[in-house]
Amino acid sequence: MQWEVVIGLETHVQLQTKSKQFSGASTTYGAEPNTQACEVSIALPGVLPVLNKQSVECAIKFGLAIDADIAPRSIFARKNYFYPDLPKGYQISQFELPVVGKGKITIQVPAGKNTEAYEKVINITRAHLEEDAGKSVHDAVEGMSGIDLNRAGTPLLEIVTEPDMRSAAEAVAYAKKLHELVQWIGICDGNMQEGSFRCDVNVSVRPKGTEKLGTRREIKNLNSFKFMLQAIEYETQWQIETLEDGGTIQQATILFNPDTGETRAMRSKEEANDYRYFPDPDLLPLEVTEADKTRVRADMPELPQALQARFTSEYQLSGYDASNLTSSRAVADYFVAVVNAGGDAKQAANWVMGALSAKLNAEEKTVAESPVSAGQLAALLKRIADNTISNNAAKQVFEGLWAGEGEVDAIIEAKGLKQVSDTGAIEAIINDVLAANQAMVEEYKAGKEKAFNALVGQCMKASKGKANPAQVNELLKSKLG
Amino acid sequence: MMINSSLKQLGQQLASKQISSVELTQAYLQRVTQLNPTINAFITLDEEKTITQAKAADARIAAGDFGPLTGIPLAQKDIFCAKGWRTTCSSKMLETFIAPYDAHVISQFDAAGAVNLGKTNMDEFAMGSSNETSYFGGVKNPWDFDRVPGGSSGGSAAAVAARLCAAATGTDTGGSIRQPASLCGFTGLKPTYGLVSRYGMIAFASSLDQAGPMAKSAEDCALMLNVMAGFDERDSTSVNREKEDYTRGLAHMHGEQPLKGLRIGLPKEYFAEGLSADVAKVIETAIAEYKKLGAEIVDISLPNNNLSIPVYYVLAPAEASSNLSRYDGVRYGHRAAEYNDLQEMYMKSRAEGFGAEVKRRILIGTYVLSAGYYDAYYLKAQQIRRLIAQDFVEAFKHCDVIMGPAAPSTAFKAGEKTSDPVAMYLEDLYTIAVNLAGLPGMSIPAGFAQNGDGKPLPVGLQIIGNYFDEARMLDVGHAYQQVTDWHTQMPVALENI
């Protein structure tokens, strides 16, 4: 039987606000335990929550970015359960009426072994505001568990998709796209190691061609795209094998173990909590007006979709190039900066996605950390355009820039990479090459086209690569008649 | 006699330096020392802190930097967190909890220069109508020590009635200021929901809880409310409106028919089955007095009033079950001495830390919020709550204030209703709807009924106002207190102590 996997994601995005979701305590990561836990964070008797307006703006930004319905009135609810790192015994979240309703995110799924790259629209069900819990710290003191409430109350936006993904690759493409988007609009730092972006993945399988969804298992807290891919692939295979062996799938929450590459059940549905959601009487309904949306929109950067369209129309880039250049705001900003500093757009696109991207990947650097500035790259492109250097020489200059050897012209000078465009000098080289390679000349004259290219090669070699190849071609052709 | 002086009189004596705050405070502390072992109104006293505040008040008065309440000793219900003070909510759960911060109400009184005389007894987590659910024991009604003072603000009630303080604070979720005011014979006001910040006031049922003054007279309540009311951004349900002077109309309440034109609504449901005859008689006499003051009587109806108790006992426990989840033994409060794992720590700590009534309400609340029951109970109750509020909107089209009894009977004997929770819940028959609607309500002394032992027991007249109409209610109460002396009476046995 052919199986189809059905995947939906719930992503907890930690919002970049100065203070917590419902109190003034700081949200800075990595402080000494419990030093960022005010009376509200530790839920002393009598304390009350006050909604962080900045987090609401983040939610509105996200809603606008995915073209979603933003609720004019949404409700905060209490999700009740006992856990030592949940100080109030309930989490303030949104249940029936979330701030962000249905929206859409378009993903680019890269080519696989047997598949072409393609685009797909993933439907977003909702996104709601809530607060994070603290952390349990085990065995910091031997045999004891400690509670660190620094994170308790940190603002989160939980983004839920429809079960629209049909492969691990699609799920990862969605997660990456979302990861880029929340950073693009400046609502999340995207730091997955610190838990700023955490994905829960719902996986089920069904016979291909059937409609009814299979029973799902939820893989909790995946904090890297690599693990997400591994976990979904393992889980999908496990579910298929279980069903093919005549077994059934029980709804469960599961964890992925990166060391073994396996998933394992944490708790079954029977053990699941009844969260007894009800509207939080301490908070008024959250109201978002058209004016609020207008104000937030004015504050937002150009979105990737809009920028892509602009890149194709304004710079005549291909859809593929435009999409790649808008994969992150930093890349797009870098590209625009190169163009604005006078670099040719098509060349800039090739260099940013080619040499620069390869070098960054090799050294695990982000665009923001690139040793070659946009201005430097633009200067380099100008020297190619005005025929000062050849494309090959430009690569050497780029290496020089990367290594911090100075500015473009100085490197060209120091390495002696200036292209020879003086007709007299090139003619002299050609004359020497022709004299030394009579046999090739004969071959060419006898009709062997390949011999011409060999002669060009010889001329370039004799010029140590500095001769302008177009000129060499032209002059050689005329000399050979 | 000083202990019977009004806040205004005390303020004048302090301002003119006839008496110092330290002297006044010590006089009250002495009275507390004598009477509290019997009455049990206070559960935490801290003479050093109290006297330090009195000294600071004297310094402010000497410096000319003072207000109407500077230097006046007030009793604070032990539901308000006060920095450095043990704050227990009368629960074993918080028996050793020292609050590290001030409730809004406490800091307002601090800023006004009032003196915190001590923390008063109450029903555990404000759940009760007789003060008998307190972990620290019951409170005696100063009019008859065999009887309860009402609840949940029973300690503050007894303290005001026995003149152990100049005035006190209370909180009212379903009648916890007004019912004890009726049973102990003083003036108590529950303001409009949102008028007084709930920050630092330990939550019972968040959508109903409201703090208010408990004092001898309407005038005293007005002075207290001037300090307590006001917007606080730390409470999202606090209403941002301009501050009022609640004493502004009082001076006009003299002379012939000061209430001419006032329409008093009498809901027929408040005078039906459930109201004891002796209370009804006192209320009728009080209404007659209001007619003499120029008021006009209008018959009105609150058709859904009979649903208010069942609705309240769904919504309040639902909120309470969640509000009290934080008492888990993890960070503060009672933790069981021995346990094998987390689950057991939770269970034992909460089993040991909470009393029976609190557990009953946590169970009810957990039940009504559970999957499969939520729609039938919580959601339905919310819908009826809106109907109850709508009844009042209709009623106030025909009248300016509503009057009736504050409690169905006079103070009952300790132990009389402890085994019958429903009988106890019916104590709040006339008060709960006001909380559900978020309206202001007050109870003023309106006379006495004789109990079987021949001792007089106070009866309170309830005045319900429209939203934020506290100033008018206080005027109406004050006008009555200009022509009657019920509010100045105190138990004879306690007069000469």
Side-chain angles (χ1 to χ4, degrees), chain B residues 453-483:
Chain B
D453 317 325
K455 288 179 191 157
L457 290 175
V459 172
L461 170 74
Q462 186 175 206
I463 304 170
I464 301 166
N466 214 333
Y467 297 104
F468 301 108
D469 213 7
E470 285 82 359
R472 191 208 300 256
M473 293 160 64
L474 289 160
D475 286 353
V476 169
H478 185 69
Y480 180 78
Q481 290 175 344
Q482 295 311 294
V483 294

Side-chain angles (χ1 to χ4, degrees), chain A residues 39-40 42-50 78 80 82-84 87-88 90 149 274 276-279 281-282 284, chain B residues 81 97 100-101 198-201 206 233-234 236 322-323 325-327 331-332 342 346 366 369-371 374 378:
Chain A
E39 61 212 36
V40 176
I42 61 178
L44 284 183
V47 298
L48 295 170
V50 176
R78 294 185 182 178
N80 295 284
F82 284 95
Y83 204 72
K88 294 189 294 298
Y90 59 84
L149 295 176
D274 174 359
R276 291 172 281 121
Y277 280 101
F278 74 104
D282 287 332
L284 303 176
Chain B
C81 286
F97 177 71
Y101 77 103
R198 292 182 295 117
Y199 198 80
M201 183 177 119
S206 313
E233 60 181 12
R234 297 172 302 175
S236 306
S322 175
N323 283 334
S325 293
R326 68 188 58 198
Y327 308 110
R331 299 167 314 287
Y332 55 79
L342 178 65
Y346 283 151
T366 304
L369 289 176
S370 298
Y374 179 85
Y378 184 84

Side-chain angles (χ1 to χ4, degrees), chain A residues 21-245:
Chain A
Q21 185 69 288
F22 299 108
S23 77
S26 165
T27 53
T28 312
Y29 179 83
E32 280 292 298
N34 297 313
T35 55
Q36 287 172 183
C38 65
E39 61 212 36
V40 176
S41 307
I42 61 178
L44 284 183
V47 298
L48 295 170
V50 176
L51 179 60
N52 182 333
K53 291 198 181 83
Q54 214 190 340
S55 81
V56 175
E57 286 186 3
C58 290
I60 297 173
K61 271 185 189 171
F62 180 74
L64 292 171
I66 64 163
D67 203 16
D69 308 326
I70 295 170
R73 186 170 177 278
S74 64
I75 303 285
F76 286 97
R78 294 185 182 178
K79 180 181 180 179
N80 295 284
Y81 65 97
F82 284 95
Y83 204 72
D85 63 20
L86 187 72
K88 294 189 294 298
Y90 59 84
Q91 177 196 31
I92 305 176
S93 181
Q94 296 191 300
F95 186 54
E96 279 179 339
L97 286 174
V99 58
V100 177
K102 290 186 192 314
K104 285 176 172 33
I105 290 182
T106 304
I107 62 169
Q108 282 77 34
V109 187
K113 275 179 205 144
N114 307 311
T115 53
E116 301 268 309
Y118 60 97
E119 268 195 4
K120 181 168 178 172
V121 173
I122 304 299
N123 291 292
I124 303 299
T125 314
R126 59 184 285 166
H128 64 255
L129 287 167
E130 61 182 29
E131 56 177 347
D132 212 342
K135 279 179 186 164
S136 297
V137 185
H138 299 294
D139 288 316
V141 179
E142 208 192 318
M144 310 265 276
S145 288
I147 308 293
D148 177 5
L149 295 176
N150 282 353
R151 199 183 65 181
T154 298
L156 299 176
L157 187 67
E158 181 175 339
I159 300 159
V160 183
T161 72
E162 291 293 308
D164 280 353
M165 286 149 280
R166 294 291 175 271
S167 67
E170 285 185 7
V172 171
Y174 162 76
K176 283 185 172 169
K177 183 76 186 185
L178 181 66
H179 187 241
E180 288 299 346
L181 179 63
V182 293
Q183 292 176 83
W184 186 288
I185 59 177
I187 65 170
C188 175
D189 68 13
N191 191 324
M192 296 178 78
Q193 260 63 51
E194 292 177 5
S196 299
F197 187 91
R198 314 191 289 267
C199 296
D200 300 340
V201 184
N202 283 296
V203 179
S204 65
V205 298
R206 64 183 172 194
K208 208 174 171 77
T210 60
E211 282 287 313
K212 193 170 172 285
L213 290 170
T215 305
R216 67 170 197 266
R217 304 213 309 163
E218 184 182 20
I219 315 170
K220 277 284 191 197
N221 268 333
L222 291 164
N223 65 355
S224 97
F225 300 125
K226 195 175 111 196
F227 294 160
M228 183 185 294
L229 192 73
Q230 288 175 5
I232 296 171
E233 283 176 346
Y234 178 88
E235 176 63 20
T236 306
Q237 209 48 46
W238 182 88
Q239 288 190 18
I240 292 170
E241 280 168 17
T242 302
L243 292 171
E244 286 185 340
D245 289 348

Side-chain angles (χ1 to χ4, degrees), chain B residues 389-408:
Chain B
Q390 196 52 44
D391 282 355
F392 283 104
V393 171
E394 272 308 309
F396 279 119
K397 287 177 182 165
H398 309 288
C399 61
D400 304 307
V401 293
I402 294 170
M403 285 188 190

Side-chain angles (χ1 to χ4, degrees), chain B residues 3 58 180-181 227 243 255 269 308 340 373 378 405-406 409 431 449 454 467:
Chain B
I3 55 161
D58 282 332
V227 173
K243 250 189 150 346
E269 292 79 8
S308 60
N340 291 311
Y373 298 99
Y378 184 84
S409 61
T431 47
Y467 297 104

Side-chain angles (χ1 to χ4, degrees), chain B residues 293-311:
Chain B
L293 289 167
E296 167 194 337
I297 304 302
V298 184
D299 288 327
I300 57 161
S301 174
L302 300 169
N304 293 295
N305 188 64
N306 63 328
L307 294 174
S308 60
I309 289 184
V311 163

